[in-house]
Amino acid sequence: MAVPKRRTSKTRKNKRRASAYTLNRSNYVECPNCHEPKLPHRVCPNCGEYKGEARIDVE
């Protein structure tokens, strides 16, 4: 059975663990109605439309 010859240092161990904790960037899409950036699959906060229909009243 394979056994490590040397102990893994704290720095090396923590570097390996920290690689999984990265944040994902939010990707924005352009609203087809008002051309403002919005999150995908969400109602546009600027005009209130989703899939060509007015969902919320925006003043």
Side-chain angles (χ1 to χ4, degrees):
M1 185 158 80
V3 178
K5 196 163 224 158
R6 299 267 180 214
R7 177 180 177 176
T8 306
S9 69
K10 293 175 190 172
T11 305
R12 194 170 180 89
K13 175 179 65 177
N14 291 337
K15 274 187 203 175
R16 187 173 59 246
R17 288 182 179 172
S19 67
Y21 296 130
T22 59
L23 292 174
N24 294 332
R25 230 172 33 116
S26 296
N27 48 337
Y28 290 92
V29 295
E30 184 180 293
C31 175
N33 185 44
C34 65
H35 306 291
E36 290 290 320
K38 70 175 191 80
L39 288 171
H41 307 289
R42 305 290 194 285
V43 175
C44 178
N46 192 41
C47 66
E49 289 212 3
Y50 181 66
K51 291 191 176 180
E53 295 180 13
R55 300 291 178 148
I56 58 173
D57 294 327
V58 179
E59 294 178 7

